[in-house]
Structures are given as structure tokens and as C-alpha cells.
Amino acid sequence: MSTYVSKRTAIAITTTAAAAAAALSLVLVTTASADGAAPRTGQAAAALPSVSGSPEGAFTRIADFYGSYVDAVYDNDGRTADQLRSFYLSKPLQAELKKWEETNHANGVLRAQNVPTQWKVASTGSGAGKTNATVTLTWGGGDTTRIHVQADLKTKKITSITD
């Protein structure tokens, strides 16, 4: 019986070592930076970026809108930007933005004349049938601006964009 236990222990140790080596190899082979570059030798495995959401949540709709809208404006795709506004923004907000843009000669969604290099949407809570978020836009020089955005919980349409 002692020989059986020893063989089983040796097999378990060998199997565990082989599994650990395989896992380490897999981590080194599959880990890549966000830009798709292979990791450097000795580079620790970092968490890969992740984005998630739900079509049922008004907050997610705000994030979806800003991500898609910034991409469309960055790509100089006015048609897509207009379609995004039509889908995500309430009719009264669309009219309000049109007036704001005529007065300020800037993009009312971004509150600027140029396009940000990065965006981030953070929830600031919900109540009274609305969800609120702060959108932080980062510009080419590293400066940031914050925009306050509100969406209706029932319709999920964005109803307010303010500085």
C-alpha cells in the first residue's frame, strides 16, 4: 500500500507541476497589452480592458452614446453622429442642442469645437425617475472637461446635457 501511495503522490506532483508550467506558458503566450503588442520578456500579466453594459439601463445608454458619438465625430462621420443623436437624445434635448450650437458655434454634445481623445462616463446616482452621470472628456493636451448628463429611467433617452 505504501508503494501505491508513493506512486500516486509522485503522479500528483508531476501532474501539478506540468499543469502549472502549461498555465504559465499560456499566460505568457496569450497576454497582450491593450494596443495588441506582445508582452516583453518578464512582463507581468496585466488585466485586459473590459467594457460591459445592458440595453435595459439608462446609465449604460449614456456610456454607449458617448463612446459611439465620440468615435463618429472623430471619424468625421456626420451621418452616423446625427443618427446617434436621433436615437439616444430626447426630441426636446435635440432642439435645445441645436439652439445651443447656433449660439456657441460648437458641438453641444461635447461642449467644444474639437474632438476629445478620451472619454469616461461615471454614474452620479439615480432618483426621481432619472439617472445622472458625469462625462469626463480628455483633450489632446491632457486637459479635461466635465459634462453633466441626465437620462430618463423609463425611456432611457438622454434628456439633459449641461456644463
Side-chain angles (χ1 to χ4, degrees):
M1 185 176 208
S2 172
T3 305
Y4 177 73
V5 172
S6 295
K7 285 183 180 177
R8 194 171 70 190
T9 302
I11 290 170
I13 290 171
T14 303
T15 304
T16 303
L24 180 59
S25 296
L26 183 60
V27 166
L28 292 174
V29 169
T30 60
T31 302
S33 65
D35 65 3
R40 293 181 300 275
T41 304
Q43 181 179 0
L48 296 176
S50 173
V51 177
S52 64
S54 167
E56 297 175 357
F59 171 73
T60 300
R61 296 280 181 111
I62 294 171
D64 290 345
F65 170 70
Y66 268 90
S68 298
Y69 188 80
V70 168
D71 288 350
V73 175
Y74 180 84
D75 291 344
N76 207 18
D77 186 348
R79 180 173 177 244
T80 299
D82 289 343
Q83 289 173 335
L84 290 166
R85 282 178 173 228
S86 178
F87 181 77
Y88 284 99
L89 308 181
S90 69
K91 295 287 185 203
L93 179 57
Q94 291 177 49
E96 180 184 319
L97 287 176
K98 188 174 183 174
K99 290 179 187 175
W100 189 95
E101 290 169 343
E102 289 171 359
T103 302
N104 293 283
H105 306 289
N107 184 309
V109 171
L110 303 174
R111 296 299 206 235
Q113 292 179 335
N114 51 359
V115 185
T117 57
Q118 296 178 20
W119 56 268
K120 179 181 177 181
V121 180
S123 175
T124 55
S126 296
K130 305 286 184 191
T131 193
N132 300 289
T134 298
V135 177
T136 303
L137 302 174
T138 303
W139 306 97
D143 293 333
T144 61
T145 56
R146 288 184 175 73
I147 300 169
H148 304 283
V149 181
Q150 189 173 70
D152 185 272
L153 289 173
K154 185 176 179 180
T155 66
K156 299 170 194 67
K157 296 284 187 182
I158 297 172
T159 58
S160 174
I161 296 175
T162 59
D163 300 29

